[in-house]
Structure formats: C-alpha cells, structure tokens
Amino acid sequence: MRHHRITSLAIASAMTATPFALVVTQADAAPLRLVAPADVTAPTVAKHVVTDLDGDGTRDSVTLTYLGADRFSLNATTTKGASSTVSFTSHVDAKWAPAEDTWYGASAIDGRKGSELIVNAFTTRTAASRGNVSLRVYTWRSGKLVMAKAPASRWGKTWKVNASLAGEARGYNFFTKSGRRYVDATRMTTGKYTKPWNGYVTRSVWRNGKWATLWTHKAKTVKSSALSKWGQVGIAGPNLLLGQVNVDVDGDGRSDLVTYYRGGFDAHMLRVVTASGKFNQVGYQTEQDSAFIGAAQLDGVAGYELIAEIAGEGPVWTVFSWSDYTIRETPMPALYGTTGGAIPWHGHSDEAITNLRFYTDAGTSYVETGWISYENSILTDPVNFAVSAWQDGNWVKKSEGQRVLTPAERASFHLGFSVNGLVAP
C-alpha cells in the first residue's frame, strides 16, 4: 500500500471534482413568516442503502435525508417492519461538505450482530473541517436507533477520525481475536510535516454490551511525513458500505443490487448480487475517497456497466462489466491520436479536459471522446475528437478530427462521462 502525504488525506476529498456528483434540486416553497424563501429547502435523499441492522441476516432499509439548514434525519426500517428515525445536524456547503458527504458508511464494528450507521458531523466550511471530523455512530437496540458510545481514546469518549492540518490524526482499528471483539483507538501528532509522528494507542474489548478499556500504550513512531495505516485516520477492520445502485447488471431485464465499499486508503470494492441470486465482487485501488461514479449502459450489450474513478490526475477510470458471472474490466475506446484498448481508461492528461460522450445511432452504440488542453480556449480553439463504435465485443475506432465547439456543445463538454440514464449512488 502506498504511503500518503498527510495533506492529501486531509483535503483530497474536498479538492477533487466528481463529474457525476448528485444534483439536488430545491423545490419552490411558500415563504414562512420571518424566513426568506431561499432558506426553505425541500427534503432530499442524500443516501439510501440496505444493510443488516438488527442482525437477523436480512437487509434492512436505511435512508439519510437532508432537511435543509444543516439538519438531517436518519431513518431505518427493518424487514420485520420496525422503523426508527433520529435527527442530527451537520454543516452543508456545496464546495467543502455537500449533503451526500455527510454519510460516512455502515459496517458491523462492535461485538453484536448488525451494522452500525456512521455519519459525519461537519461544523465549518473549510478544508480543515474535512480533515478533523467528529462522527455520530448509530446502532439498533431494542427496536430503535440509538447513539453508540465511543470506545476510550486519548481524545476522550467521542468518535473522531482523519488527519487535520494542525498535525493530529485519529482513527480506529476493529478486529476479532479468539472470539472477542477489540478496537485500537490511535492518536498521532507531529510538530511539522517533516517530523516523525508520535502518539498513543488505547485498546478496548467488547464486554457486556459495551467497550471496556484494557490499556494505553505508545504507538510505533512513523518516521516519515506520511501515515501508513488506515486505522490511524479512518475506521479500519470492517469494509465500510458507502452506497449502492439498483440496476440490471447481467442484462436479464431485472434489477440487481450493486453495493460499494471502502476498506483502506486505496482499497475499494464493488459487490454485485443479481436478481437470480448470483454473486460476485471485485476490488480495485483508487486514490479517491468515494470512487464509484455510477452505472450506465455504455456499449451494445444488454446490462449496465459500473464506472469508477481511479485517480483525479490523468484522469483515470475503470469500467466494469458483468460477463459469465464475473466482473471484468473493459477496454477503453480510442482518443484522438490513439487506437484505444487501454485498461484502465485514461484521459488525455491532467493538463486537459477529457470528455466521453456515449450515444446510439441506428441501433449501434457509439462513443465520441474529446480532449482539449487547459492552456487552450474552449471558446476559440479546436477540440480533438475520436469516434468509436461497438462491434464484435469491442470499441472500434471509426474516425477522428478536430473542430471548434458550438455554444451548445460547450455547455455540455466537461471532464468525465456524458451518458443518458446514468444511475449515481
């Protein structure tokens, strides 16, 4: 696993632009007394997932809803019909903390069956707020959602993760040994980014339905400017359920469940359970915090492809397709000056805007790739295009050329994928 600069951990998610971020539409609402119309926001679903909350082995429904004015509700409904809702606040800002980023993940972290639901509690609108994060952790107890008490740590009994720009890092490593559930809560500090990181680890064990502190020891010094373990800045041990889409992956006309997870700095995973009960998963490495862009029908074969962003610089994407009960990486169509076929898919460079526009004409699937360097003007300089058609199971280059974009084309030309029917998580 690569070592990461602490500054990257602190602000990467805030500085990375995702071409298919969820677009939240605000409905018109009648103004309330003493409240301006612009302050009234229609409730919008920020995240929906299914996960086993009550530990009975079936998937329960979880919905995080943004109510406006930094207010959220978290609702859980089990397959047995029990329902519970809790409310909390987390700062929302279009640049640093969009509403969907309030969701941190779901996973079984303690010693009882069932997943815990983890949400961010952002407080400010700066990069530092993304790097020094308090969490709220909810668990299912006696038929309702309740706050889970945090294990002991050198920063107290509150849930915190991530590395701050002030030189502090906090994280958890959950693990099972000899049938017992444990957690190591680590706090690391440094005076400067060129100095070693030092700190402490506090270990707790799950006993009698709660975390019981065992000991606190000095942590192993990290002798570089990078932290090397996910448990030093995140929640390590379990895979965190980040989101899902329900689309027809295998092409049989029925909706399948696609869930995606994070398990480390770069470790992500996509899992597919088809309507017929077939199951498979694929892991991939990515520098992005939330790398799954979504699902769309890209080629001429029935079924949705799954699109993941591997690196913001480049940029680099991976496109997965379901074939013969496995999840396979698909080759890239051509860019101007290339024949295509690359795995993973690469944009022209990090110094250019690369757009991939998918469309169908007379029953044939096509993709038009275009790129233009940032040093050129999209208003007056030509864009480099290549057109590929889906033939015999591959993208086959048909033509290439250059042209200045029309005003309508400029309005839709952006970094990333342009495809009708994209289902974002």
Side-chain angles (χ1 to χ4, degrees):
M1 181 176 293
R2 282 192 303 275
H3 295 285
H4 290 244
R5 292 189 302 275
I6 194 67
T7 49
S8 297
L9 292 171
I11 64 173
S13 60
M15 298 299 292
T16 302
T18 303
F20 292 109
L22 180 66
V23 177
V24 178
T25 302
Q26 295 187 346
D28 291 335
L32 301 176
R33 187 171 57 185
L34 301 180
V35 178
D39 295 330
V40 180
T41 303
T44 55
V45 174
K47 186 67 64 175
H48 172 73
V49 299
V50 291
T51 186
D52 182 13
L53 279 178
D54 55 10
D56 68 354
T58 62
R59 298 188 188 96
D60 307 308
S61 176
V62 176
T63 303
L64 176 66
T65 302
Y66 179 50
L67 304 175
D70 294 348
R71 296 176 299 114
F72 287 84
S73 69
L74 183 65
N75 172 266
T77 302
T78 70
T79 53
K80 297 176 182 177
S83 184
S84 178
T85 301
V86 293
S87 299
F88 64 95
T89 60
S90 180
H91 182 73
V92 174
D93 179 80
K95 181 178 182 180
W96 299 116
E100 60 269 22
D101 282 8
T102 301
W103 176 257
Y104 186 87
S107 192
I109 59 178
D110 61 27
R112 296 185 62 170
K113 292 182 178 180
S115 293
E116 277 64 55
L117 309 179
I118 311 167
V119 294
N120 288 306
F122 297 125
T123 56
T124 60
R125 62 177 68 192
T126 65
S129 70
R130 297 299 300 262
N132 188 13
V133 178
S134 295
L135 301 175
R136 292 177 179 267
V137 179
Y138 295 95
T139 189
W140 189 263
R141 297 289 185 267
S142 302
K144 63 180 181 180
L145 290 173
V146 298
M147 287 279 289
K149 292 184 178 180
S153 67
R154 293 288 288 195
W155 61 87
K157 290 189 175 182
T158 58
W159 295 94
K160 285 183 178 290
V161 293
N162 262 341
S164 75
L165 298 179
E168 293 194 29
R170 303 172 180 87
Y172 304 88
N173 180 40
F174 293 87
F175 61 97
T176 300
K177 183 178 181 180
S178 301
R180 306 292 298 272
R181 191 66 168 168
Y182 296 88
V183 58
D184 287 346
T186 302
R187 179 177 185 243
M188 306 289 284
T189 61
T190 184
K192 296 180 179 179
Y193 295 125
T194 56
K195 298 290 185 179
W197 287 80
N198 297 282
Y200 291 87
V201 177
T202 300
R203 176 167 294 183
S204 298
V205 63
W206 185 259
R207 182 186 296 155
N208 299 324
K210 60 182 179 181
W211 294 109
T213 307
L214 295 178
W215 47 254
T216 296
H217 292 167
K218 281 191 175 182
K220 184 178 180 180
T221 298
V222 178
K223 295 183 179 181
S224 68
S225 61
L227 298 175
S228 58
K229 296 180 180 179
W230 178 237
Q232 293 169 333
V233 294
I235 292 182
N239 287 315
L240 292 165
L241 173 60
L242 300 185
Q244 70 180 57
V245 294
N246 295 87
V247 294
D248 178 16
V249 173
D250 59 6
D252 68 353
R254 295 180 294 174
S255 182
D256 309 310
L257 175 63
V258 180
T259 49
Y260 72 104
Y261 302 81
R262 183 174 189 174
F265 281 123
D266 294 347
H268 285 236
M269 179 178 66
L270 285 168
R271 178 179 293 169
V272 176
V273 180
T274 69
S276 61
K278 300 295 182 181
F279 159 83
N280 216 321
Q281 63 188 36
V282 61
Y284 58 98
Q285 300 294 110
T286 174
E287 299 174 356
Q288 309 302 94
D289 280 351
S290 184
F292 182 45
I293 294 173
Q297 298 187 74
L298 303 182
D299 56 34
V301 179
Y304 279 66
E305 278 65 53
L306 309 176
I307 309 167
E309 187 174 14
I310 302 304
E313 294 186 358
V316 184
W317 304 280
T318 290
V319 176
F320 297 101
S321 183
W322 180 274
S323 176
D324 297 328
Y325 306 112
T326 61
I327 305 171
R328 305 178 186 274
E329 292 184 71
T330 65
M332 183 181 179
L335 288 173
Y336 179 88
T338 75
T339 58
I343 295 178
W345 297 26
H346 284 262
H348 178 260
S349 72
D350 59 356
E351 302 297 327
I353 302 173
T354 303
N355 179 253
L356 300 94
R357 183 176 67 90
F358 294 82
Y359 61 98
T360 301
D361 186 25
T364 299
S365 296
Y366 292 91
V367 55
E368 181 183 63
T369 61
W371 63 266
I372 183 171
S373 297
Y374 282 119
E375 64 184 17
N376 293 334
S377 171
I378 200 170
L379 299 176
T380 57
D381 293 322
V383 173
N384 305 283
F385 285 103
V387 175
S388 299
W390 183 260
Q391 294 179 349
D392 301 322
N394 289 289
W395 290 111
V396 179
K397 186 175 182 179
K398 292 299 182 180
S399 63
E400 67 175 30
Q402 297 174 311
R403 70 173 186 271
V404 176
L405 298 181
T406 66
E409 289 176 324
R410 290 197 298 270
S412 60
F413 192 88
H414 67 280
L415 176 64
F417 288 65
S418 297
V419 53
N420 291 329
L422 178 94
V423 181

